[in-house]
Amino acid sequence: MFTILVFLSLVYGLEGADVVLSCSLIEEGGGMGGMMGGAMFKRTPSTLVFKDLVGNDGLSPELVTPYNPPETPNADDLIFEMTLPSIQIPNADLLLHADCNEQEVVCEISRYVPRGAEMDSLPAHFIGSVQLEGGGISLTLVLQTLHGDTAKSDTEPLMQSKLNLPLSQSGTLLTEVVFVVFSRVPSVEAPIGGDALLDCGFRQKNSVPGQDVALEWRIQHRGNGRKILDMKARETETDVEQDLFVDRNNTSAEADLLVRDGNASLTLKRLKVTDEGTYICTVGSGEFQTQQIVQLHITQPPRVTLSEEKLTFQDTTPQKLSCHCHRYYPLDVQVEWFSQAPSEEEPVSLSKESSLSSHRQHSDGTFSLSSHLTLQPDKNPPGTVITCRVSHPALETPTDATLTVNEPEPEQTNQ
């Protein structure tokens, strides 16, 4: 599990809270990556320090762990010290509280080459992926190296051994965020027939007025992918112009919000099962382009009915009762049976005595299933409550269908 340290920045006069993440520097290596071939990827432990990420209002100094750079700078250490000079990241405070909320943060860093740049050109660029698992913020950051305090020193700066880049006097690699694509809701659930808003946005330092902003949304599902929306938008003196391609009805993104507010979100209306999948939001502006992933999960709860409205044993003949689960999605459904006779304080499980039909899939992609139970009159006297309990991901709590065993109807006598 990646650890998080949270501390207050004393150097900058308590301007805000800093966040320190344990990361991995990802490098592509040579050789065969396995039996089927492919490149190997090497992981090197590194540290990402967000400087003044959020304001310190309401933070208690007793609850934070102070971060101190190494007393003796080490050329082998990989510490990326990152500032956000003019970029505000929405919901960044979630990273600050992740450790307290027992949420894991996945952090990876790799080299990045902007459009038109060479691999070894300066300033150097890196791309950082920060994901708060279990809900929350997901960031893809483009970092650009700085050489602020190294230029003030009379001595030659210490060079990072792996990257061959100058380190600050405290042994960190100084960087700033110049571009970020984010999602505040990287996983969305929505019902069939409903609407979904897939959250995606971007921020850029020193964007050029009138510059094209490119937005692409793609869906990937079960090995297949296709482009849903492709937009190029630019702000003119009087309006926002756009070039737009859409490959799904009832799908939209707002060009003016994209250019003026950095809002790249996608709206999908009248959802179907086939809309479920992994959506990739790619934003490009100027020399930078990167992406975010948003998962869309389609759900529909089952409608639960019993085959009988009432149950009466007229003799010793067993009776069959069925519990029908109609048109649900996704496939995961659990059916349990219980009985509770008047003399019993707790219900008794009958699930082992039941049988299930196979799943039936409908043309809209939903499923149906039935569970069958044979009831014996001697074990289910009048007043016994029979319950079919159905659990499904679309249900917050299980839903019950019940009936009560009736008294036998009196026999009619011939007059």
Side-chain angles (χ1 to χ4, degrees):
M1 182 172 180
F2 295 95
T3 58
I4 300 177
L5 301 176
V6 180
F7 63 100
L8 294 179
S9 173
L10 301 175
V11 177
Y12 295 94
L14 292 176
E15 291 178 1
D18 299 346
V19 173
V20 181
L21 303 179
S22 296
C23 299
S24 294
L25 178 69
I26 309 297
E27 299 173 281
E28 186 174 336
M32 305 298 286
M35 294 295 291
M36 301 302 292
M40 295 179 65
F41 290 90
K42 182 180 179 181
R43 291 177 173 268
T44 304
S46 60
T47 302
L48 181 61
V49 182
F50 286 81
K51 299 295 293 183
D52 299 326
L53 181 63
V54 293
N56 60 13
D57 294 342
L59 294 177
S60 171
E62 292 80 12
L63 298 179
V64 297
T65 304
Y67 170 80
N68 295 303
E71 293 184 7
T72 303
N74 188 334
D76 294 331
D77 287 345
L78 277 168
I79 305 173
F80 293 82
E81 185 175 337
M82 184 184 73
T83 61
L84 296 90
S86 60
I87 293 179
Q88 295 295 321
I89 300 177
N91 294 15
D93 60 310
L94 294 176
L95 292 174
L96 192 67
H97 304 295
D99 205 27
C100 296
N101 295 334
E102 298 183 348
Q103 290 180 285
E104 183 176 352
V105 178
V106 178
C107 176
E108 295 181 341
I109 302 173
S110 58
R111 290 297 291 260
Y112 177 80
V113 181
R115 290 195 190 102
E118 299 292 334
M119 180 63 187
D120 297 324
S121 62
L122 294 177
H125 292 83
F126 296 85
I127 193 163
S129 173
V130 178
Q131 296 179 340
L132 183 61
E133 295 196 340
I137 191 76
S138 178
L139 308 171
T140 306
L141 309 142
V142 177
L143 312 180
Q144 179 175 291
T145 56
L146 299 169
H147 305 293
D149 69 349
T150 60
K152 301 174 185 178
S153 176
D154 295 331
T155 61
E156 286 293 321
L158 184 66
M159 303 297 287
Q160 210 289 323
S161 59
K162 179 178 287 293
L163 303 175
N164 195 31
L165 292 171
L167 298 176
S168 69
Q169 295 181 41
S170 59
T172 63
L173 186 65
L174 297 176
T175 68
E176 65 175 341
V177 178
V178 292
F179 192 72
V180 57
V181 177
F182 59 87
S183 178
R184 291 161 294 190
V185 189
S187 182
V188 177
E189 286 191 6
I192 294 174
D195 302 340
L197 178 67
L198 306 187
D199 182 76
C200 184
F202 81 100
R203 301 287 185 268
Q204 182 176 7
K205 181 190 177 186
N206 300 332
S207 59
V208 179
Q211 176 176 271
D212 271 13
V213 178
L215 171 63
E216 179 188 273
W217 278 95
R218 296 184 64 86
I219 179 175
Q220 299 281 346
H221 188 56
R222 296 178 180 173
N224 297 315
R226 67 186 178 97
K227 185 186 299 185
I228 297 293
L229 179 142
D230 194 333
M231 173 187 290
K232 289 182 175 62
R234 66 207 66 83
E235 187 170 13
T236 66
E237 293 182 358
T238 58
D239 202 358
V240 173
E241 297 178 350
Q242 68 172 2
D243 304 315
L244 180 64
F245 165 82
V246 180
D247 190 32
R248 180 194 179 277
N249 293 331
N250 304 301
T251 301
S252 63
E254 301 297 331
D256 56 338
L257 295 180
L258 175 68
V259 172
R260 293 169 178 165
D261 300 333
N263 186 341
S265 300
L266 184 73
T267 299
L268 302 172
K269 296 185 176 181
R270 300 179 186 176
L271 292 169
K272 301 178 181 179
V273 168
T274 52
D275 292 317
E276 182 173 78
T278 299
Y279 285 77
I280 304 169
C281 168
T282 302
V283 181
S285 180
E287 59 190 320
F288 304 117
Q289 175 179 294
T290 188
Q291 62 189 30
Q292 267 300 319
I293 291 176
V294 181
Q295 302 288 345
L296 175 60
H297 304 280
I298 302 298
T299 62
Q300 179 156 295
R303 181 172 62 88
V304 181
T305 62
L306 293 175
S307 58
E308 307 293 336
E309 294 183 0
K310 61 180 183 178
L311 183 63
T312 305
F313 293 102
Q314 288 297 120
D315 50 33
T316 58
T317 304
Q319 293 200 33
K320 182 179 177 181
L321 186 63
S322 298
C323 183
H324 303 300
C325 307
H326 305 272
R327 293 186 176 274
Y328 52 86
Y329 191 87
L331 187 63
D332 308 318
V333 68
Q334 181 180 4
V335 183
E336 300 174 281
W337 288 94
F338 299 93
S339 72
Q340 185 171 2
S343 60
E344 295 172 336
E345 296 183 359
E346 297 291 336
V348 176
S349 174
L350 302 177
S351 300
K352 292 183 178 180
E353 303 172 24
S354 65
S355 61
L356 286 174
S357 69
S358 58
H359 289 276
R360 302 180 297 279
Q361 188 169 19
H362 305 282
S363 59
D364 62 356
T366 60
F367 298 93
S368 294
L369 171 143
S370 297
S371 177
H372 310 292
L373 180 68
T374 300
L375 297 168
Q376 305 292 336
D378 57 332
K379 296 180 180 180
N380 298 278
T384 299
V385 177
I386 307 297
T387 301
C388 170
R389 178 166 298 163
V390 177
S391 302
H392 186 265
L395 295 169
E396 291 187 7
T397 58
T399 186
D400 290 349
T402 64
L403 58 72
T404 302
V405 178
N406 294 329
E407 292 280 354
E409 295 179 2
E411 295 183 4
Q412 295 183 355
T413 58
N414 295 326
Q415 299 293 331

